[in-house]
Amino acid sequence: MFHFFAYLSRLKHITRWNLMRNVRHENVMEHTCEVAMIAHCLVTIQNTRYGAGLSPDRACSLAVFHETGEVITGDLATPIKYFNPEIKKAFKDIEHIATDKMLNMLPNDMKNTYVKLIDEAENQPEWPYVKAADKICAYLKCVEELKSGNTEFQKAAQSTLKSINELELDSVKDFMRDFAPSYSLALDELN
């Protein structure tokens, strides 16, 4: 029996930001969908405005599977994951073991497709846009929480925005200028 996709469905049960008080809890599956949409948008901007020849569909696919290891490991808060180089390396090793376990649940004739999306994702030219989209989503979660009156996300919003501003991707700068401000608006303000 192959359990790969049954395991992936568990992403909806893993909540993010579990160390901070949340006004609205977000599960990994919701996060993954948002990362996929924003990664697709970033690559589309990069292609349309800056002449890159990247695949928005590939970025979207990479993003859909970017949290696969968390099905087994769960989500680890950024301040812990990146506390020091030893913890970062140990967690990377754990993630690699987890993704290998997941990939081994696939039939052999399908593994190669998913290895490219999971184990070899970082080698794809669209990967930096997926990582940028992941950061943007973290920032947008902070915006959502702050908008709801949860000041616990204030420092996280500042540090995440700083790391986004340090990225050297034109499409990220464009997205943050053209799209990100609308995330702080109320629904009736979007009309």
Side-chain angles (χ1 to χ4, degrees), residues 50-191:
Y50 301 101
L54 301 169
S55 169
D57 296 341
R58 167 67 68 176
C60 188
S61 295
L62 291 169
V64 165
F65 292 97
H66 87 282
E67 301 284 19
T68 298
E70 288 190 12
V71 171
I72 294 171
T73 65
D75 188 28
L76 189 60
T78 299
I80 296 168
K81 193 185 299 187
Y82 300 105
F83 182 72
N84 67 37
E86 292 84 20
I87 290 174
K88 181 180 176 182
K89 184 191 177 320
F91 193 71
K92 277 282 184 200
D93 292 344
I94 291 167
E95 282 182 329
H96 185 70
I97 291 167
T99 57
D100 279 353
K101 179 177 176 142
M102 292 291 296
L103 289 167
N104 286 325
M105 293 178 186
L106 286 165
N108 286 332
D109 61 340
M110 293 176 63
K111 276 187 190 172
N112 191 43
T113 297
Y114 292 96
V115 163
K116 289 177 184 167
L117 293 171
I118 298 169
D119 267 0
E120 298 173 5
E122 293 179 19
N123 300 329
Q124 306 296 321
E126 293 82 6
W127 183 249
Y129 300 89
V130 174
K131 292 301 290 176
D134 198 24
K135 284 184 184 191
I136 290 170
C137 288
Y139 172 71
L140 296 176
K141 170 63 176 168
C142 294
V143 168
E144 176 185 30
E145 289 290 324
L146 289 168
K147 190 170 95 173
S148 297
N150 185 356
T151 58
E152 190 165 339
F153 279 78
Q154 200 153 22
K155 185 174 179 186
Q158 292 167 350
S159 65
T160 306
L161 183 58
K162 182 180 183 292
S163 71
I164 291 167
N165 289 335
E166 291 170 355
L167 295 174
E168 295 186 18
L169 297 170
D170 293 321
S171 60
V172 170
K173 291 170 183 26
D174 287 7
F175 183 93
M176 295 303 290
R177 181 192 66 233
D178 298 342
F179 295 102
S182 64
Y183 282 80
S184 63
L185 299 176
L187 186 58
D188 55 348
E189 292 177 297
L190 294 174
N191 292 326

Side-chain angles (χ1 to χ4, degrees), residues 2-17:
F2 300 107
H3 305 293
F4 179 80
F5 292 102
Y7 259 88
L8 280 181
S9 72
R10 302 299 197 271
L11 286 172
K12 65 185 170 209
H13 299 294
I14 300 170
T15 58
R16 298 186 52 79
W17 304 95

Side-chain angles (χ1 to χ4, degrees), residues 20-43:
M20 297 171 77
R21 183 179 55 83
N22 289 259
V23 171
R24 190 186 77 73
H25 289 280
E26 172 189 62
N27 66 47
V28 176
M29 195 170 274
E30 288 174 292
H31 164 74
T32 298
C33 181
E34 188 172 34
V35 172
M37 289 188 291
I38 291 176
H40 190 282
C41 179
L42 292 176
V43 170

